[in-house]
Amino acid sequence: MVKFAACQYAIELFEDWDSYAVHLEGLAREAAEAGAELLLLPEYAAMTLTGLLPEPQRGDLHGSMAGMQPLIPRWLALCEGIARRHGVWFCPGSAPVLDPDGLYRNRAFLFGPGGLLGWQDKLIMTRFEREQWKVAAGKEGLRIFETPLGVLGILICYDNEFPMLARRLAEMGADLILAPSCTDTEAGAHRVRIGAQARALENQTAVLVSSTAGRALWSPSVDENFGRAALYVPADYGMSPNGVHAESPEIFTSKSLWLQGEIDLAQVRRLRREGQVALFRDWPEQFHV
């Protein structure tokens, strides 16, 4: 049984490092003290760091992304410390990271009680990322992370809307897909929801979503946010009939809220062998019609 906490995360303004660190530590402590073993924050949660920049720079789309780069190592150290102190598996969401090739990539990190497990880049970029922000697609493919909780994979936001990515993770053995998300319209939030539910159905796996939700009008990149935290599962034996294991009640919030619960991943895995349907097994048949 995995005890999870997915955050419906409000991008708040913190203008000094200590205030931000207290915020993130307190948020994680709240979930850990309630029993969570796995904590998930959303895509671009690290954009909160741009609040530490001078006001003209944090209000500039490209300037804020460049200005936050010196803060990322400190952020990673903070996140690693949180995972170690609380003995949890912690995905603090993603950040735009400047790579040695001069390109920015949308990168999500995963920490465990023993430190950094690794990272996953977003593979398919939205129009905003491609055309305005100039964030590049990841080039190292998909990864899985073997943990005592189960085998985890990460698909960042838009990547959940492409079936073959989740299929690849399922074939690699992923029991649970982490889906950090950031969408600026209700339509975008629903696209992620529909995609995540479809991926859970098709692959007979679970998908855990964390989203940004709230206004940060001081930020040109994450100014408007809509989304729910949720856990989606196959609609099958022992699971919720509608495939919604847990979900935030509202699509918008001005305060960060945890969605907490537990899921038996062994039971999810059994559905691939003993479910009412055999979607994972029968997947290849659609290509021979």
Side-chain angles (χ1 to χ4, degrees):
M1 194 72 71
V2 176
K3 296 179 180 179
F4 65 85
C7 198
Q8 187 184 30
Y9 188 67
I11 304 286
E12 299 179 59
L13 177 60
F14 299 99
E15 297 185 279
D16 63 85
W17 176 264
D18 289 345
S19 297
Y20 170 72
V22 167
H23 152 75
L24 191 61
E25 173 69 41
L27 193 64
R29 184 188 305 112
E30 177 188 344
E33 289 182 349
E37 306 165 277
L38 173 64
L39 280 58
L40 177 63
L41 265 60
E43 178 185 32
Y44 290 128
M47 295 311 296
T48 307
L49 294 172
T50 63
L52 280 62
L53 302 174
E55 189 171 352
Q57 189 174 22
R58 72 180 180 228
D60 178 81
L61 182 62
H62 295 99
S64 60
M65 187 164 60
M68 71 183 289
Q69 296 306 304
L71 298 170
I72 289 178
R74 194 175 184 185
W75 175 68
L76 293 174
L78 173 62
C79 295
E80 181 170 353
I82 286 171
R84 289 181 182 273
R85 281 191 295 277
H86 297 288
V88 295
W89 283 263
F90 181 35
C91 176
S94 73
V97 176
L98 183 61
D99 273 339
D101 62 2
L103 298 175
Y104 288 96
R105 291 184 172 86
N106 184 355
R107 183 163 297 158
F109 297 85
L110 182 62
F111 299 90
L116 179 66
L117 278 73
W119 47 265
Q120 174 66 58
D121 283 345
K122 191 172 184 176
L123 298 176
I124 303 177
M125 315 312 292
T126 64
R127 290 193 64 186
F128 174 74
E129 288 171 309
R130 293 173 195 257
E131 298 170 15
Q132 298 179 50
W133 219 3
K134 308 302 181 185
V135 178
K139 59 181 181 180
E140 296 190 18
L142 291 164
R143 302 174 178 187
I144 56 170
F145 305 90
E146 296 185 8
T147 78
L149 305 179
V151 180
L152 310 180
I154 301 173
L155 291 178
I156 301 174
C157 199
Y158 193 43
D159 283 350
N160 286 277
E161 298 174 35
F162 294 88
M164 299 308 294
L165 299 184
R167 176 66 187 184
R168 178 61 181 144
L169 285 179
E171 290 173 344
M172 294 166 72
D175 301 313
L176 175 64
I177 295 173
L178 307 182
S181 171
C182 177
T183 51
D184 62 359
T185 64
E186 289 193 47
H190 284 292
R191 285 194 296 269
V192 172
R193 181 189 193 275
I194 292 165
Q197 280 207 265
R199 306 296 81 83
L201 174 70
E202 293 161 352
N203 297 293
Q204 295 179 288
T205 190
V207 181
L208 184 64
V209 178
S210 171
S211 63
T212 52
R215 290 188 175 87
L217 300 180
W218 51 270
S219 169
S221 54
V222 287
D223 51 345
E224 294 276 350
N225 302 275
F226 296 85
R228 290 179 170 89
L231 178 66
Y232 301 115
V233 295
D236 208 326
Y237 293 133
M239 300 287 131
S240 175
N242 65 0
V244 181
H245 185 84
E247 191 175 55
S248 302
E250 304 294 337
I251 201 168
F252 189 88
T253 183
S254 58
K255 178 184 178 182
S256 295
L257 301 170
W258 286 112
L259 177 74
Q260 294 195 234
E262 58 183 25
I263 181 70
D264 185 347
L265 291 180
Q267 186 179 11
V268 175
R269 283 193 296 272
R270 279 196 298 273
L271 293 176
R272 292 185 176 183
R273 304 188 305 271
E274 304 169 10
Q276 285 181 300
V277 290
L279 286 142
F280 180 78
R281 183 199 69 191
D282 297 340
W283 174 269
E285 293 183 17
Q286 66 188 305
F287 303 109
H288 303 293
V289 174

